[in-house]
Amino acid sequence: MDTLPAQNPKPHHNFTVDSINLLASTPPKHVSGPLSAVFGSASGFPELQFFLEPDGQHSINFDLRTTQLFRLGELQSLCVSEGSETVKEKTFSKGITIQFKEEEESSSFHGAFEQWKSDVTIQGSTLPNGTISSSKSKFDDKIESSSAKMYFHYYGQLLHQQNMLQDYVRTGSYYAAVMENQADFAGRVVVDVGAGSGILSLFAAQAGAKHVYAVEASEMADYAQKLIAGNPILGQRITVIKGKVEDVELPEKADILISEPMGTLLVNERMLESYVIARDRFLVPNGKMFPTVGRIHMAPFSDEYLYVEVANKALFWQQQNYYGVDLTALHGTAFQGYFSQPVVDAFDPRLLVAPAVSHVINFTTIKEEDLYEIDVPLKFSASVGTRVHGLACWFDVLFNGSTVQRWLTTAPGAPTTHWYQLRCVLSQPIYVMPGQEITGRLHMIAHSAQSYTINLTMSAKMWGPGAEQGGILQTSSCRLDLKEPYYRMSQPQAYSVAQDQQPNQLLQSQDLQLPSLDDDGSDFIQQPSNDSTVHIH
């Protein structure tokens, strides 16, 4: 990352100008030369100075962070400094016209201006403990500005932070993971990635961290500073840095990263990428990450109530006489539109019709680019005969502490979190018999609105005549936008056990089989047991 010229000084550039006119005075004041124009950073920021007298006692100074230069002719230019940004019309606090004696000198002056201007950090300034990068943020390159603005506005509000803090499964799991593994924090440098309210930074300080750098890009950084200042015994070892992890510079490397980067379906909001970038930029070799590993779990489900509820939303468009207008031309589009929304709610685990499969993401080894596209093959064996209405998904994360391994789960049947669970509903259900194989693919592609497009395909062989020869494949697919879910927050219905299975037969909370871990280096993971060090209370 580039740094400010003030911290990495460049040689001064000196130019001679023939004369200048001061536009702010009435009438404009003319100053004859030759005069000296100097680019430098002696004041701590890049600036342009015009010395009006040989002794250098009087000068006109322009802060290059807010200055523009325009060529009026071969030998004449206009230099202005921007003023207030609070009014609709842009104003300028001062301006001068510059007269050069030779065209070569004018061209060289403009070249130097562009060179110094390119090194300016417009959106930030030097911080006591870190700097904002002057190059365009990698975050800004891949995320559209409107999405980022709304994202940081959302997390900059205390009511949303309170919602997360009051998720006691989430907050309590983080507290337990840190305090049970004080050996990993005591005397260590910690970076809190996306610190929010600063609660995880305070946990790390409680566990004996030598110093914590709380990096937060939203306005919540100011509240975090206030909360940390209100806990002075802990706060003296915490430094809040306002900025994106892609941009800021830290004075030292971290021994451990802590973060809460999980969104719906683990990957929504694309903060996992920032977590990985922070790892590559700030973490010492073999440093620890809390959380260490994430797993997305998937299983087919049957839920007639949900299917009918989604399908019935489009009934409005079946009206043939809506104030004299036939709406039916849009019914098909509306029907597919409702099925393009993932459903977020808490559901009864008895709705699952096969044991879950898992996709593992090892935060310590995965590359940022590997999160741009996630492709998961699906293969299940149906436990019951029923209509399959889609794919149910949830996630868990592992805090691989030196003392205790702790899991945080969002599984159905476990205590509900603010993430709930997610279901992709097929507009065309498929039929299965007990023992029948269900195959498919979950393909997720990241997009610039900080989320993913989900492409789901599920298939099963038809039963009946010809089945013993392989049958006919029935296939259903859907395309969903993870950014636009249907939040169905009503209480789960009391489903009767009508599927020839006992409750939790298909899903024991957290007792989920991992695929082979040889490829991603996460073979250190042990399956959660009924041990009290793993379960969430």
Side-chain angles (χ1 to χ4, degrees):
M1 289 284 184
D2 295 334
T3 54
L4 290 172
Q7 296 172 309
N8 186 19
K10 294 162 54 179
H12 285 203
H13 283 150
N14 295 274
F15 295 90
T16 300
V17 300
D18 194 47
S19 64
I20 61 174
N21 285 308
L22 308 181
L23 302 180
S25 60
T26 306
K29 181 180 178 182
H30 180 78
V31 181
S32 299
L35 306 174
S36 179
V38 179
F39 292 94
S41 54
S43 301
F45 55 85
E47 65 178 345
L48 169 60
Q49 295 177 286
F50 293 90
F51 291 98
L52 306 183
E53 298 176 5
D55 59 7
Q57 292 298 311
H58 295 88
S59 65
I60 301 174
N61 300 344
F62 287 88
D63 183 342
L64 291 181
R65 293 172 295 183
T66 57
T67 298
Q68 297 184 49
L69 183 66
F70 303 95
R71 194 187 292 271
L72 302 179
E74 290 183 354
L75 300 177
Q76 192 175 46
S77 298
L78 171 67
C79 185
V80 291
S81 181
E82 294 179 13
S84 171
E85 296 179 355
T86 60
V87 294
K88 289 186 177 180
E89 293 184 5
K90 185 177 289 187
T91 60
F92 298 92
S93 60
K94 58 186 171 185
I96 62 172
T97 58
I98 311 165
Q99 188 71 36
F100 295 94
K101 200 158 191 174
E102 298 177 357
E103 184 181 350
E104 184 179 349
E105 188 79 356
S106 173
S107 297
S108 297
F109 180 86
H110 276 263
F113 181 91
E114 292 301 323
Q115 184 181 350
W116 279 83
K117 184 79 171 175
S118 68
D119 289 332
V120 169
T121 303
I122 295 175
Q123 76 272 30
S125 58
T126 304
L127 298 170
N129 41 51
T131 60
I132 303 298
S133 167
S134 62
S135 61
K136 185 178 180 183
S137 169
K138 188 173 186 179
F139 180 93
D140 297 331
D141 282 337
K142 64 185 181 181
I143 302 299
E144 61 186 45
S145 60
S146 59
S147 175
K149 184 177 181 180
M150 186 174 296
Y151 174 76
F152 290 123
H153 172 74
Y154 179 91
Y155 285 108
Q157 299 181 61
L158 280 175
L159 67 146
H160 297 305
Q161 294 291 331
Q162 180 178 336
N163 178 49
M164 292 185 289
L165 291 173
Q166 287 182 318
D167 180 344
Y168 296 111
V169 175
R170 165 197 178 271
T171 308
S173 296
Y174 269 88
Y175 180 77
V178 173
M179 301 312 292
E180 290 167 347
N181 293 286
Q182 293 190 37
D184 293 324
F185 289 86
R188 306 293 173 83
V189 175
V190 181
V191 171
D192 183 356
V193 180
S197 65
I199 191 70
L200 301 185
S201 296
L202 289 160
F203 289 172
Q206 286 184 55
K210 174 185 174 184
H211 201 86
V212 184
Y213 296 96
V215 182
E216 172 58 41
S218 77
E219 296 304 311
M220 187 52 56
D222 300 328
Y223 294 114
Q225 183 67 70
K226 193 171 185 179
L227 180 64
I228 288 165
N231 293 268
I233 295 176
L234 301 173
Q236 62 185 353
R237 288 179 281 124
I238 303 174
T239 300
V240 177
I241 299 177
K242 190 174 183 179
K244 304 183 185 76
V245 294
E246 291 86 352
D247 299 352
V248 302
E249 301 288 347
L250 302 182
E252 56 186 324
K253 290 287 188 179
D255 301 301
I256 183 168
L257 297 187
I258 190 168
S259 182
E260 197 269 76
M262 301 90 73
T264 310
L265 195 56
L266 183 62
V267 297
N268 187 40
E269 297 179 348
R270 297 183 64 181
M271 191 182 162
L272 285 180
E273 294 165 37
S274 296
Y275 190 36
V276 169
I277 289 171
R279 175 201 72 194
D280 293 342
R281 298 193 65 216
F282 305 136
L283 192 62
V284 300
N286 300 315
K288 282 195 166 289
M289 298 177 73
F290 271 45
T292 318
V293 168
R295 300 185 303 184
I296 300 173
H297 303 285
M298 299 144 283
F301 73 91
S302 179
D303 189 343
E304 205 71 47
Y305 294 103
L306 174 62
Y307 178 80
V308 171
E309 179 184 330
V310 175
N312 282 351
K313 288 184 175 186
L315 287 177
F316 171 85
W317 297 97
Q318 286 191 331
Q319 297 179 81
Q320 295 179 335
N321 187 9
Y322 180 75
Y323 295 99
V325 177
D326 186 347
L327 302 181
T328 56
L330 292 179
H331 174 261
T333 303
F335 184 84
Q336 292 301 327
Y338 284 118
F339 280 97
S340 72
Q341 290 185 284
V343 176
V344 175
D345 69 349
F347 65 83
D348 192 313
R350 290 173 292 186
L351 296 175
L352 302 178
V353 300
V357 299
S358 306
H359 175 73
V360 179
I361 300 177
N362 187 337
F363 305 138
T364 67
T365 58
I366 193 169
K367 296 177 181 177
E368 177 203 350
E369 293 76 15
D370 293 339
L371 293 166
Y372 294 172
E373 186 173 353
I374 300 170
D375 199 2
V376 185
L378 304 174
K379 187 175 181 180
F380 308 98
S381 179
S383 301
V384 292
T386 187
R387 288 215 306 174
V388 172
H389 294 104
L391 189 71
C393 307
W394 61 95
F395 70 87
D396 53 24
V397 293
L398 168 69
F399 301 93
N400 187 44
S402 299
T403 308
V404 174
Q405 287 190 331
R406 175 168 286 272
W407 291 84
L408 164 59
T409 186
T410 65
T416 303
T417 69
H418 76 284
W419 290 286
Y420 295 89
Q421 292 97 43
L422 179 137
R423 285 185 284 175
C424 303
V425 187
L426 297 169
S427 61
Q428 182 60 55
I430 60 176
Y431 296 82
V432 297
M433 297 293 285
Q436 187 173 2
E437 184 176 88
I438 305 169
T439 59
R441 180 188 187 207
L442 182 68
H443 187 213
M444 299 188 286
I445 303 172
H447 60 63
S448 61
Q450 289 174 275
S451 194
Y452 285 78
T453 299
I454 301 174
N455 294 288
L456 171 65
T457 300
M458 298 183 73
S459 303
K461 291 178 181 177
M462 298 284 282
W463 288 80
E468 63 278 4
Q469 282 79 41
I472 303 168
L473 199 66
Q474 51 172 333
T475 297
S476 185
S477 61
C478 59
R479 184 184 180 94
L480 310 100
D481 187 353
L482 187 56
K483 177 85 170 182
E484 301 292 341
Y486 163 37
Y487 290 104
R488 185 178 182 248
M489 297 314 187
S490 58
Q491 291 297 315
Q493 300 189 39
Y495 294 95
S496 60
V497 184
Q499 296 183 328
D500 300 327
Q501 63 192 60
Q502 295 302 311
N504 298 323
Q505 177 181 328
L506 295 174
L507 173 70
Q508 295 293 337
S509 177
Q510 305 212 31
D511 186 18
L512 303 163
Q513 294 301 310
L514 275 172
S516 172
L517 302 178
D518 295 339
D519 293 336
D520 64 10
S522 52
D523 53 0
F524 58 81
I525 302 177
Q526 298 174 1
Q527 280 301 297
S529 65
N530 292 325
D531 190 286
S532 62
T533 61
V534 177
H535 267 289
I536 303 212
H537 298 286

